Short mmCIF file of all heavy atoms in Angstrom, two decimals:
data_model
loop_
_atom_site.label_atom_id
_atom_site.label_comp_id
_atom_site.label_asym_id
_atom_site.label_seq_id
_atom_site.Cartn_x
_atom_site.Cartn_y
_atom_site.Cartn_z
N LEU A 145 -4.40 2.52 9.27
CA LEU A 145 -4.92 1.28 9.73
C LEU A 145 -5.02 1.26 11.31
O LEU A 145 -6.09 0.86 11.80
CB LEU A 145 -4.01 0.11 9.29
CG LEU A 145 -4.47 -1.24 9.62
CD1 LEU A 145 -5.88 -1.59 9.03
CD2 LEU A 145 -3.45 -2.29 9.15
N LYS A 146 -3.98 1.79 11.93
CA LYS A 146 -4.05 1.81 13.46
C LYS A 146 -5.19 2.74 13.91
O LYS A 146 -5.90 2.40 14.86
CB LYS A 146 -2.76 2.33 13.94
CG LYS A 146 -1.55 1.40 13.83
CD LYS A 146 -0.31 2.03 14.27
CE LYS A 146 0.93 1.07 14.02
NZ LYS A 146 2.19 1.70 14.46
N ALA A 147 -5.36 3.91 13.25
CA ALA A 147 -6.40 4.88 13.59
C ALA A 147 -7.74 4.20 13.40
O ALA A 147 -8.70 4.47 14.20
CB ALA A 147 -6.30 6.12 12.75
N SER A 148 -7.93 3.44 12.29
CA SER A 148 -9.12 2.77 12.04
C SER A 148 -9.50 1.78 13.11
O SER A 148 -10.64 1.71 13.55
CB SER A 148 -9.06 2.02 10.64
OG SER A 148 -10.24 1.30 10.43
N GLU A 149 -8.51 1.09 13.56
CA GLU A 149 -8.74 0.07 14.65
C GLU A 149 -9.19 0.86 15.90
O GLU A 149 -10.10 0.39 16.67
CB GLU A 149 -7.38 -0.72 14.90
CG GLU A 149 -7.07 -1.62 13.78
CD GLU A 149 -7.92 -2.91 13.66
OE1 GLU A 149 -8.72 -3.06 14.59
OE2 GLU A 149 -7.81 -3.62 12.66
N VAL A 150 -8.46 1.92 16.27
CA VAL A 150 -8.77 2.62 17.46
C VAL A 150 -10.19 3.24 17.40
O VAL A 150 -10.97 3.10 18.37
CB VAL A 150 -7.80 3.75 17.70
CG1 VAL A 150 -8.24 4.73 18.77
CG2 VAL A 150 -6.39 3.31 18.06
N ALA A 151 -10.59 3.76 16.27
CA ALA A 151 -11.97 4.36 16.19
C ALA A 151 -13.02 3.30 16.21
O ALA A 151 -14.05 3.49 16.81
CB ALA A 151 -12.07 5.09 14.78
N TYR A 152 -12.72 2.15 15.61
CA TYR A 152 -13.66 1.02 15.70
C TYR A 152 -13.89 0.55 17.05
O TYR A 152 -15.00 0.41 17.53
CB TYR A 152 -13.14 -0.14 14.80
CG TYR A 152 -13.95 -1.47 15.00
CD1 TYR A 152 -15.22 -1.58 14.51
CD2 TYR A 152 -13.29 -2.53 15.68
CE1 TYR A 152 -15.86 -2.77 14.72
CE2 TYR A 152 -14.00 -3.68 15.83
CZ TYR A 152 -15.25 -3.83 15.39
OH TYR A 152 -15.93 -4.99 15.56
N GLU A 153 -12.78 0.30 17.80
CA GLU A 153 -12.84 -0.09 19.19
C GLU A 153 -13.64 0.88 20.12
O GLU A 153 -14.44 0.60 20.92
CB GLU A 153 -11.51 -0.34 19.82
CG GLU A 153 -10.75 -1.48 19.10
CD GLU A 153 -11.43 -2.86 19.37
OE1 GLU A 153 -12.24 -2.98 20.29
OE2 GLU A 153 -11.19 -3.79 18.47
N ALA A 154 -13.35 2.25 19.91
CA ALA A 154 -14.02 3.22 20.62
C ALA A 154 -15.54 3.25 20.38
O ALA A 154 -16.36 3.39 21.27
CB ALA A 154 -13.43 4.64 20.29
N GLU A 155 -15.95 3.17 19.10
CA GLU A 155 -17.40 3.13 18.74
C GLU A 155 -18.06 1.90 19.36
O GLU A 155 -19.23 1.97 19.84
CB GLU A 155 -17.57 3.20 17.21
CG GLU A 155 -18.98 3.09 16.73
CD GLU A 155 -19.81 4.29 17.19
OE1 GLU A 155 -19.30 5.28 17.72
OE2 GLU A 155 -21.09 4.20 17.07
N GLN A 156 -17.44 0.75 19.25
CA GLN A 156 -17.99 -0.48 19.86
C GLN A 156 -18.22 -0.29 21.35
O GLN A 156 -19.18 -0.73 21.95
CB GLN A 156 -17.24 -1.65 19.47
CG GLN A 156 -17.09 -1.98 18.01
CD GLN A 156 -18.43 -2.24 17.30
OE1 GLN A 156 -19.14 -1.34 17.06
NE2 GLN A 156 -18.70 -3.57 17.07
N ALA A 157 -17.14 0.32 22.00
CA ALA A 157 -17.21 0.50 23.42
C ALA A 157 -18.37 1.47 23.71
O ALA A 157 -19.08 1.36 24.78
CB ALA A 157 -15.93 1.02 23.96
N ARG A 158 -18.52 2.51 22.90
CA ARG A 158 -19.63 3.50 23.16
C ARG A 158 -20.95 2.78 23.03
O ARG A 158 -21.88 3.08 23.93
CB ARG A 158 -19.51 4.60 22.09
CG ARG A 158 -20.51 5.74 22.33
CD ARG A 158 -20.50 6.76 21.17
NE ARG A 158 -21.06 6.16 20.08
CZ ARG A 158 -22.37 6.20 19.78
NH1 ARG A 158 -23.21 6.63 20.62
NH2 ARG A 158 -22.80 5.67 18.60
N LEU A 159 -21.13 1.98 22.09
CA LEU A 159 -22.42 1.25 22.00
C LEU A 159 -22.65 0.25 23.11
O LEU A 159 -23.74 0.20 23.65
CB LEU A 159 -22.39 0.46 20.62
CG LEU A 159 -22.48 1.32 19.36
CD1 LEU A 159 -22.27 0.47 18.14
CD2 LEU A 159 -23.72 2.17 19.27
N ASP A 160 -21.59 -0.33 23.56
CA ASP A 160 -21.76 -1.20 24.74
C ASP A 160 -22.07 -0.44 26.01
O ASP A 160 -22.96 -0.89 26.83
CB ASP A 160 -20.42 -1.97 25.01
CG ASP A 160 -20.14 -3.08 24.06
OD1 ASP A 160 -21.06 -3.55 23.40
OD2 ASP A 160 -18.92 -3.47 23.90
N SER A 161 -21.59 0.79 26.12
CA SER A 161 -21.90 1.65 27.28
C SER A 161 -23.35 2.04 27.27
O SER A 161 -24.00 2.28 28.31
CB SER A 161 -21.00 2.86 27.34
OG SER A 161 -21.28 3.75 26.28
N ILE A 162 -23.89 2.24 26.08
CA ILE A 162 -25.34 2.63 25.96
C ILE A 162 -26.23 1.40 26.46
O ILE A 162 -27.16 1.67 27.23
CB ILE A 162 -25.68 2.91 24.50
CG1 ILE A 162 -25.08 4.25 24.02
CG2 ILE A 162 -27.21 2.98 24.30
CD1 ILE A 162 -25.23 4.52 22.54
N VAL A 163 -25.87 0.26 26.04
CA VAL A 163 -26.62 -0.94 26.54
C VAL A 163 -26.45 -1.09 28.07
O VAL A 163 -27.42 -1.34 28.76
CB VAL A 163 -26.12 -2.20 25.84
CG1 VAL A 163 -26.72 -3.43 26.40
CG2 VAL A 163 -26.50 -2.16 24.37
N ALA A 164 -25.24 -0.95 28.54
CA ALA A 164 -25.02 -1.03 29.96
C ALA A 164 -25.75 0.05 30.79
O ALA A 164 -26.36 -0.24 31.89
CB ALA A 164 -23.49 -0.87 30.33
N ALA A 165 -25.75 1.25 30.27
CA ALA A 165 -26.50 2.34 30.96
C ALA A 165 -27.95 2.05 30.93
O ALA A 165 -28.67 2.29 31.94
CB ALA A 165 -26.23 3.69 30.30
#
Side-chain angles (χ1 to χ4, degrees):
L145 182 59
K146 291 177 184 176
S148 173
E149 293 286 354
V150 170
Y152 167 73
E153 294 296 338
E155 177 61 13
Q156 298 298 78
R158 185 186 71 82
L159 292 173
D160 286 339
S161 70
I162 290 174
V163 173

